[in-house]
Each structure stands twice: as structure tokens, then as C-alpha cells.
Amino acid sequence: MKTHTKVAVIGGGVVGCSVLYHLTKLGWSDVMLIERSELTSGSTWHAAGGFHTLNGDTNMAALQGYTIRLYRELEEITGMSCGLHHVGGVTLADTPERWDMLKAERAKHRFMGLDTELLSPAEIKKIAPITNVSGVLGGLYDPLDGHLDPSGTTHAYAKAARMGGAEIVLRTPVLETNPLPDGSWQIVTEQGTIIAEHIVNAAGLWAREVGMMAGVYLPLHPMEHQYLVTDDIPEIFERGTEHPHVMDPGGESYLRQEGRGLCIGFYEQACEPWAVDGTPWTFGHELLADKLEKVAESVEFAYKRFPVLETAGVKTVINGPFTFAPDGNPLVGPVPGLRNYWSACGVMAGFSQGGGVGLTLAQWMIHGEPERDVFAMDVARFGRWITPGYTLPKVIENYQNRFSVSYPNQELPAARPFRTTPMYDIWAQHRAVFGQQYGLEVPNYFALKDEPLYETPSFRRSNAWEATRQEVMAVRSGVGINEVQNFGKYLVRGAGARDWLDIIMAGAIPKQGRLSLTPMLAPSGRLIGDFTVSCLAEDLFQLTASYGAQDYHLRWFEQHKAAGVTVENVSDSRTGFQIAGPNARDLLAKVTRADVSNEAFRFMDVRQITIGMCRAWVQRVSYTGDLGYEIYVGAMEQRSLWNTLSEAGQEFGLRPFGMRAMMSLRLDKFFGSWLNEFSPDYTAAETGLDRFIRFNKPAQFIGKAAVLAEKSNGAKRKLCAFVVDALDADVHSYEPIWIDGTVQGFCTSGGYSHYAEKSVALGLIPTDQAVEGLKVQIEILGEMRDAVLVTTPLFDADGARMRG
């Protein structure tokens, strides 16, 4: 065993071996894997081995597609068999809601290049004849679905890694991981000590325990999961071809052929967490006791859906633990707050996602960033506020909803409310219907009298429609108010703050008393943030961005820190409100003695003034696209500020509005939003944020070479706005855009403009097609809807009200 290495991967399951292989594939050979027992000793060995591409996140689906295609490559490289069975699979829909979900997924697959197909019940019966299609509306067929040999595949990864120069050390438990001053890590094992430049936690069932060795909490929890293997079934072994997979979300089951019989697994409601207080180090190649009573209802349902099961004997019952994160996605990437410590854990679907996880992490470590937006599995998507007490109920909820319909407007209830602002009870009194962002309770809308305090999950327009419409019109005709709590907020201090920001941000850094909008870029020129930068003093700046990206952005700041400059996260200690609408200035003037006339307080100004009893920082800007102000105070003063504004606002028709209204209002001006229009998948030139870049500023800002090259060559695609002839469903995201009968683009987001009374979509299409009046079709829930490209904003087109 060597004592020094560039990378040490801890954990010898399919994910750890995939990471090791991809590091060698991308050029790093001085790498090693340390396994406490034997390869596949955790969850890998007892996995059912299924793989599929279906995933609500398109980037996750693409990585799953990469994983599946990789297996043939592994076989060719190593000469080993992965035991591949590419039999295809069909997901059933037995309700209109499930059918809507499958139609939406099929539409996404068009621009992703995935060859899936919607099937009728008769077509399902033809390819999967053991299925009782009574009550089934249709299904989604994916020819890439299949299963493999978990052990053979893991050992193929391992052999390919060894062929690339990697070392694998077995039967060597890790005892300690200690950070060293130069950013490397001391790894103490039972067989000796290793110094590694980088450490990768791929410890699977033991990832929590390995994380705690470094003082980090990884929000993971193991759940018991059962599947059954039947005796021989004539309807299976007498077939000329292998039976395809069948996923039956209504029955919470997945089914595939296993030899001459069937394998069927369940995601039952009566689920059970395992190892709540920690995974025993002695656990390994054993299974848990059978608990068939937990899946009794699911089995009974399965007998009806697959009648051959009722007379089939059960050969084997497998009950083993698998590790989940609160949202079911992996935890991947550099762990915030630690240098050179990487996570590759929580990969519940290891044989669907393991290859993509390995590729992503290797790209990140070697090239500095992955090739696509992987925020859905970024370890930084959970902040440092998360606790085991939050993780456990969310993991249980995720397991129970594994096969449930995933609606674009759905808000899941477990572990809520957890984090609230001082306004929570006041909003509740105003009949707020809350959503959740980064653990924070945020009003989505305010229910009308006699309406339920619950938004019906739907792919179509929900019961929030009328309340949202009224909130929108209150802003456009009077003045609306909502919190600025759900912005990420940071204070940058120091004599070198301006120079540092000039490198971190691609845009102009404002003069004192002014603010600017600027993208933050990766070296590749792709977006990693869209920020408002406010100069409060020559050595003090406030940055605002997405609330849910706090650890993501703080990690970037830490990786690029400069001497004499400090960055403080004040996202929760600094809060307040925005007021917006034609009466916003009149309301502000009533509650302060400061001069807030247009001449004294211009658009994009920032000033500290007294409002009521509060000393506040006020910025004249609003995401609503209207005349508006963002007002920031300390959290202890927020209630006082509310009392002042709400009392004075009565004569101006002040009305609270929520995030549903906000997202409608921004569509009037075609404003983009983070992780929709603005994400690491896109560049500033593609999304229009290049208008905020100062290409000629002297500072060599991060990404400068890339954006100058793109400016010279031109972007190949462009973000555009469309007015859609929609029915009762609007664009959500990733719907394909058809031009001249072919898919040439996709939607990034959309919704309904209650002000303009139009359905609006934002999307990316080829730049040479982006002309006013272009007629396209957008596929919404399986229906082609006509749409036309528009360039004139639907509200305040000349900016007179916003700037006046």
C-alpha cells in the first residue's frame, strides 16, 4: 500500500469504483481506493441491478443515459461481462395525473435525444403480456431500460481503473481523516497512514460515519428495501424473448425477469428507516430479516396487475438497506467548508447513476467544473442548517413518494415548518399558502376567503389561479409587498473588496451609492450566478442572489478568496421587504423623512435611510419590473418595519403577494430566473446576460477569455420569449420547441402573465431563427400548441415606470 497519492477514494461499491475509473480515464493515474472489506460489501451486492433513464431532472436523466451506454465500453475495455440485459421497460399510468407526467417526460426526451415512446394499453399488453392493463391509460416505453450483474459491473469498473494505473486496497478500514495545513489529508487506516491531496467519500452506507471523521454532516439515511424473486413461471420461461421491465407507480412496484421467474420490488408506504443512530462497522455481506407484512398491500395490488404472481412461489426475499438523501438525489461535489474533500454518496440508484456520478466528479476534480449543470445532485444544495432530525422524516417521505406523481407546483409536507422568518405568523394570519426553499417557509400565495390553505398539485393551472391574479393586479395597479428574505445576501468587506469583486464578477462594480447587475462566471464562461452588487461604502458591498444557492456560492467565494477581503453570509440576519407598483414611491415617502423623489433617489440607487424606527438600506430595483424598492433591515427589526409599512400602506391599497405572483410578474418583462434561464448549462451570451458584462474592464475576471471568444464567434443559441396559445396548462420547463416540423429548441420556464392575460414561455432556439414573429409549436403535455416569438415586453416596454 502506497503512503502518498493524489486522490484517495474511500469505499469500494459501484460508485467508488466508478469514480476511480473515471479519474484514470480523464488522466489521473496516481489514485487509489480504500475499502474496509471487499468490493461490493455495502448496498451494491444485494441491489436488484436495474437501470433506467427516467428522471424528472433532465441533466440527471442525461447522466443516467451516459451510465447505461458506458457498460458496453467497460466490457470492451476489460473483457469482463457486466451481465447486461437491455430488455426495455414501460412505466404505467393508471390516472390522468400520471398520464400527464409521462407525456411531459416524453416531451423532454425529444430534445434530449432519448428514444422513448408513449404506448396505448393494447401496445403495453403486446410487449409485456403478463400485465393486466385494466384501468391503465397508457405507458412510457424506454428501450434503454434493463438490468445487469451488480458484482460483475463493479469489478469491471475496478479492473478498468487498475488498467489505468489505480491501486485498490481491500480489508483496510479507515480510522481517521485529518486535514493538513496545505489542503491535503492524512488518512489513518488499520494498515498504516496515507497522505492524499484529495479525498473522496464514496462510503455508501457508512458515508455519514466517514463524513463525521472530517467533522462534516452529510444529510443521508439508510432505508430498508425489499424485493422478491419468484420460482419458475411458465409464462416467462416459455417466451422466446426476455420480458421487459414494468414499473407500476400506482402499485409502488417495479418488475423484471430474473432467470426463469420474476423479480419484483416495492416502495411501500409502511417503510422503515435503518441504522438511525449510525451504520454498524461490522455490517457487510448480510441481509436484514424479512418483513413481508410491510409490503402486504403492495403484493396484493401486484397480484391484480400481474396475475401470474398469484400462483408463483417465492424463491427468495431480499431485504437490504440503501442510502437516501432528503430529495432522493446523490450528494456529489466539493464539500463546502473543507478543502479538497469530495462527496460521492447517497447514490441510491447506483446502476442508473453511478457512471454519471463518477464522470461528473472526475471532471470537477480535474477540470475545475463538470460539463453540465449538476446542481440537482450537488452536495451544496443543502445548507449547513440541515440536521439529522430534518433528514430522517424527509428521507422517509422521499421513499414513500418514490413512485408518486411529481408535480411542478407540489410542496411536500414532511419536516415543515422548520425555518421561519419573524413574519411567519403574520403571513399565516393573512392566509398564506407556504412553499419551501432551502428549508425556509416562503409564501407562495395568499388564499382567498373560503378557499383551502392548500394548492392542489397539478400539471395544469391550479386553484391558486385567482388569488395569484389578484395579487398581480394589486402590484400593477397599486402597491404590493413581499419579503426579501428569500434572497441570498452577503457582505464583502475590506480595502481590496472592489478589486476582488472585479475579478469574481464579470460586470461593472458600482460606485458608492449605486448598484449593478452582473453575471458570475466559471472559467468556461458558463453561468454560476446572477448577482446584484450594491456599493454601501468604498470598502463594503452587499451581494444578493438566489437564496437556495448559498453554500454553492459561498464555496466559490472560498475557493477564490483574497487576502484582506472577508465575505459574510447575512442571508438570514438581514431581511426586510420589497414594495412594488405605481404607489410604491408614495408609500415610501410617507414613512421616511428622506427625499425619495425620482431626482434624489434614482433607479439603481442604494441609500441608508430611516423608515419608521428602523435604519434601513433601500435599493431602488424590483424583480417585478415595476417601480419598486428593496428594503433591508436586521431580522430583529422586521416586525417593526412591517407595522410601519402596513399601517401607512392602507391608503395606497397595499397587498401582500407571494412567489406565484412574483413569477408571473417577471414574465411580463421576460426576466430570467436562477436554475431556469440562468444556470451552469448556459452562457451569458445565450441568455442575454452578456449585456451586463464589461468586456473592456482591465480586470482579468474569471471567464473573460471564454466570453471574449464567444463574443467574437457569436452564440449558437439564444434565449427568446414566446406568447403561447395555451389551454389549461402552461409551460413549466424543458418542453420541446418545434420549428418547421423538427425539435430545434426547448423551454427554460414559463407560466401565465395575469397582467397581459397571455401564456408566456421562455426558451432557447438557434440564434439564426430568433426573429420577431417566428411561429413555432411548443409541446405541452403531449399537445402541440402554437406560439409566436415576441421581443417587446408585455408591460412597461420602454421602462418608463420602472425608471421614472
Side-chain angles (χ1 to χ4, degrees):
M1 181 178 76
K2 58 186 176 183
T3 58
H4 289 77
T5 187
K6 192 170 189 69
V7 182
V9 179
I10 300 175
V14 64
V15 175
C17 291
S18 171
V19 170
L20 194 71
Y21 162 65
H22 281 93
L23 287 169
T24 64
K25 182 180 181 179
L26 270 61
W28 283 7
S29 58
D30 181 19
V31 296
M32 68 185 299
L33 183 147
I34 309 166
E35 164 55 42
R36 53 177 285 280
S37 181
E38 305 291 339
L39 296 182
T40 78
S41 290
S43 296
T44 298
W45 78 270
H46 61 73
F51 53 79
H52 56 88
T53 58
L54 187 63
N55 190 295
D57 182 276
T58 55
N59 281 309
M60 291 295 295
L63 288 172
Q64 289 174 199
Y66 165 81
T67 300
I68 294 167
R69 291 188 291 271
L70 176 65
Y71 293 133
R72 294 293 185 198
E73 177 184 319
L74 280 177
E75 291 183 327
E76 293 173 4
I77 291 171
T78 65
M80 298 177 66
S81 172
C82 294
L84 290 175
H85 296 256
H86 274 292
V87 297
V90 60
T91 301
L92 307 180
D94 59 354
T95 66
E97 293 77 18
R98 292 189 199 281
W99 190 225
D100 277 348
M101 184 178 79
L102 295 186
K103 288 187 289 187
E105 290 304 308
R106 172 64 188 106
K108 293 178 186 178
H109 295 164
R110 289 192 195 277
F111 79 84
M112 294 173 63
L114 294 175
D115 190 24
T116 55
E117 182 182 358
L118 292 172
L119 301 182
S120 68
E123 291 170 320
I124 295 169
K125 188 69 175 178
K126 184 176 180 179
I127 67 167
I130 67 168
T131 308
N132 175 9
V133 295
S134 175
V136 172
L137 302 180
L140 181 66
Y141 177 74
D142 187 345
L144 287 179
D145 280 13
H147 57 278
L148 47 64
D149 170 22
S151 178
T153 301
T154 304
H155 282 276
Y157 274 124
K159 181 176 180 180
R162 285 191 179 105
M163 292 170 66
E167 178 181 352
I168 296 177
V169 180
L170 304 178
R171 298 175 292 281
T172 305
V174 172
L175 305 176
E176 299 176 21
T177 60
N178 302 310
L180 299 177
D182 65 353
S184 64
W185 287 83
Q186 178 195 64
I187 303 170
V188 180
T189 79
E190 286 189 356
Q191 308 302 323
T193 298
I194 302 161
I195 303 299
E197 293 180 32
H198 299 266
I199 191 169
V200 178
N201 182 346
L205 288 173
W206 296 270
R208 293 176 298 171
E209 288 70 31
V210 171
M212 289 307 296
M213 293 179 185
V216 62
Y217 171 66
L218 295 171
L220 299 164
H221 204 90
M223 296 290 294
E224 295 187 16
H225 180 64
Q226 291 187 105
Y227 64 89
L228 318 178
V229 179
T230 73
D231 290 328
D232 294 357
I233 299 174
E235 290 87 345
I236 295 298
F237 67 75
E238 291 177 356
R239 281 173 55 86
T241 57
E242 191 168 358
H243 199 279
H245 289 207
V246 182
M247 279 64 69
D248 181 21
E252 301 170 338
S253 72
Y254 58 89
L255 174 143
R256 68 167 176 83
Q257 184 170 336
E258 175 67 21
R260 292 163 59 90
L262 291 168
C263 166
I264 183 167
F266 306 97
Y267 283 91
E268 71 283 359
Q269 294 301 299
C271 57
E272 190 169 331
W274 181 76
V276 174
D277 296 316
T279 303
W281 290 107
T282 54
F283 187 81
H285 272 284
E286 59 265 55
L287 292 171
L288 306 178
D290 302 349
K291 296 181 181 177
L292 292 177
E293 69 281 359
K294 293 197 309 173
V295 297
E297 290 186 12
S298 297
V299 170
E300 184 178 351
F301 192 99
Y303 285 166
K304 298 174 183 176
R305 180 66 70 211
F306 311 105
V308 297
L309 291 173
E310 195 162 10
T311 55
V314 175
K315 181 188 298 183
T316 310
V317 178
I318 304 293
N319 186 19
F322 291 89
T323 303
F324 294 76
D327 59 4
N329 279 340
L331 299 179
V332 179
V335 174
L338 298 177
R339 291 174 65 190
N340 300 328
Y341 191 103
W342 303 79
S343 176
C345 53
V347 189
M348 190 284 304
F351 294 99
S352 292
Q353 300 173 342
V357 167
L359 174 67
T360 295
L361 198 68
Q363 290 175 336
W364 217 329
M365 297 177 75
I366 295 172
H367 302 316
E369 57 180 307
E371 66 180 328
R372 62 178 70 246
D373 174 17
V374 293
F375 189 78
M377 65 177 181
D378 192 331
V379 66
R381 71 186 184 277
F382 295 110
R384 301 175 205 192
W385 50 268
I386 201 166
T387 67
Y390 177 91
T391 298
L392 179 56
K394 294 304 285 187
V395 165
I396 292 171
E397 178 184 62
N398 178 267
Y399 185 99
Q400 292 171 329
N401 284 276
R402 183 76 181 167
F403 278 159
S404 297
V405 178
S406 180
Y407 298 98
N409 67 330
Q410 188 169 27
E411 299 285 354
L412 296 172
R416 296 178 54 199
F418 177 32
R419 305 177 72 237
T420 61
T421 75
M423 286 296 296
Y424 180 78
D425 61 324
I426 291 179
W427 292 144
Q429 291 167 13
H430 281 75
R431 298 181 54 77
V433 178
F434 289 96
Q436 179 272 144
Q437 183 187 21
Y438 208 60
L440 176 73
E441 295 295 315
V442 178
N444 278 340
Y445 68 99
F446 295 85
L448 302 176
K449 184 180 179 181
D450 299 325
E451 289 289 319
L453 295 172
Y454 174 75
E455 183 177 8
T456 304
S458 178
F459 289 95
R460 302 172 189 275
R461 294 169 184 166
S462 77
N463 61 316
W465 173 270
E466 178 57 24
T468 300
R469 186 193 69 79
Q470 292 189 23
E471 291 170 26
V472 165
M473 298 313 296
V475 172
R476 290 290 185 241
S477 63
V479 59
I481 184 170
N482 79 345
E483 283 186 278
V484 293
Q485 173 69 25
N486 57 327
F487 290 157
K489 300 174 283 289
Y490 314 90
L491 292 180
V492 180
R493 294 185 175 90
R498 178 179 292 278
D499 290 341
W500 181 75
L501 285 170
D502 236 352
I503 293 172
I504 289 290
M505 302 295 177
I509 306 305
K511 298 178 180 179
Q512 185 170 341
R514 295 287 288 168
L515 61 88
S516 66
L517 306 179
T518 172
M520 187 165 71
L521 306 176
S524 64
R526 291 186 295 153
L527 299 169
I528 56 172
D530 64 308
F531 279 79
T532 300
V533 179
S534 307
C535 185
L536 310 184
E538 271 307 308
D539 58 355
L540 177 63
F541 295 82
Q542 176 177 280
L543 314 181
T544 54
S546 168
Y547 186 82
Q550 288 175 56
D551 261 19
Y552 174 79
H553 286 145
L554 283 167
R555 182 177 64 195
W556 187 259
F557 297 151
E558 178 67 20
Q559 291 170 346
H560 297 87
K561 64 183 178 181
V565 178
T566 63
V567 180
E568 179 187 1
N569 184 5
V570 294
S571 299
D572 292 328
S573 60
R574 179 169 288 200
T575 186
F577 304 95
Q578 73 160 316
I579 54 174
N583 293 338
R585 181 185 289 117
D586 293 338
L587 171 56
L588 184 60
K590 187 174 181 180
V591 295
T592 183
R593 298 184 65 82
D595 184 356
V596 295
S597 65
N598 190 49
E599 295 74 20
F601 203 161
R602 300 165 298 162
F603 181 63
M604 305 283 273
D605 273 356
V606 55
R607 295 175 56 189
Q608 189 175 47
I609 63 177
T610 300
I611 298 176
M613 295 183 289
C614 303
R615 184 176 292 111
W617 282 103
V618 182
Q619 303 186 159
R620 189 176 159 193
V621 67
S622 175
Y623 190 49
T624 65
D626 214 317
L627 170 65
Y629 304 85
E630 294 172 357
I631 305 170
Y632 296 92
V633 296
M636 296 287 286
E637 300 164 4
Q638 188 184 23
R639 292 286 285 262
S640 175
L641 179 61
W642 163 257
N643 291 337
T644 298
L645 292 171
S646 62
E647 181 179 346
Q650 290 181 16
E651 73 172 273
F652 303 109
L654 182 68
R655 179 168 180 164
F657 66 99
M659 289 304 298
R660 296 283 184 262
M662 177 76 83
M663 298 308 279
S664 174
L665 290 160
R666 62 108 184 178
L667 290 175
D668 295 343
K669 301 280 280 191
F670 312 148
F671 289 166
S673 64
W674 180 245
L675 292 185
N676 289 316
E677 286 67 46
F678 310 139
S679 89
D681 275 335
Y682 315 130
T683 68
E686 291 173 333
T687 57
L689 287 183
D690 56 337
R691 67 187 184 277
F692 299 118
I693 293 178
R694 292 298 178 264
F695 293 96
N696 59 353
K697 71 178 182 178
Q700 295 302 307
F701 60 85
I702 298 171
K704 187 172 187 176
V707 297
L708 284 172
E710 186 174 41
K711 182 182 180 183
S712 176
N713 298 328
K716 294 181 180 179
R717 57 186 181 179
K718 182 178 181 181
L719 183 68
C720 300
F722 301 87
V723 170
V724 187
D725 181 20
L727 293 176
D728 62 341
D730 301 298
V731 159
H732 173 62
S733 61
Y734 297 113
E735 293 84 355
I737 300 174
W738 297 72
I739 303 174
D740 297 329
T742 62
V743 175
Q744 298 191 41
F746 62 92
C747 297
T748 52
S749 73
Y752 192 79
S753 164
H754 288 278
Y755 170 78
E757 298 184 338
K758 298 179 186 294
S759 185
V760 178
L762 302 179
L764 287 158
I765 61 171
T767 301
D768 58 6
Q769 297 271 21
V771 294
E772 173 81 28
L774 174 71
K775 293 182 179 179
V776 305
Q777 287 188 309
I778 298 176
E779 186 177 351
I780 303 176
L781 300 181
E783 295 186 358
M784 295 295 192
R785 307 305 307 172
D786 291 336
V788 61
L789 191 154
V790 293
T791 57
T792 302
L794 306 180
F795 165 76
D796 193 30
D798 60 359
R801 194 151 103 182
M802 181 173 68
R803 300 170 183 274

